[in-house]
Amino acid sequence: MIPDIAIIFCILLVFELPTIIQLRFIIWLAIGLVIYYFYGRHKSHLNKNQ
């Protein structure tokens, strides 16, 4: 129950931010996810040839 309420309030806070800040957040999030994906593929122990 408490985590659900916290998620709702966080979403409400994000919607209250100016549009330019929301756009910057989405761009930085996308950049971070791309870096995380390629780093994870490169460092994965499951991806190593045996």
Side-chain angles (χ1 to χ4, degrees):
M1 171 107 179
I2 298 294
D4 297 333
I5 294 171
I7 290 169
I8 291 170
F9 277 114
C10 285
I11 291 170
L12 289 174
L13 285 172
V14 168
F15 281 123
E16 292 296 319
L17 291 171
T19 307
I20 188 70
I21 302 297
Q22 291 176 354
L23 187 60
R24 287 180 185 172
F25 172 73
I26 291 169
I27 291 169
W28 279 111
L29 180 64
I31 291 169
L33 288 174
V34 168
I35 291 170
Y36 182 74
Y37 173 76
F38 285 111
Y39 178 80
R41 276 191 80 186
H42 179 70
K43 294 289 186 177
S44 174
H45 295 291
L46 299 174
N47 195 24
K48 304 262 188 226
N49 292 333
Q50 296 174 341

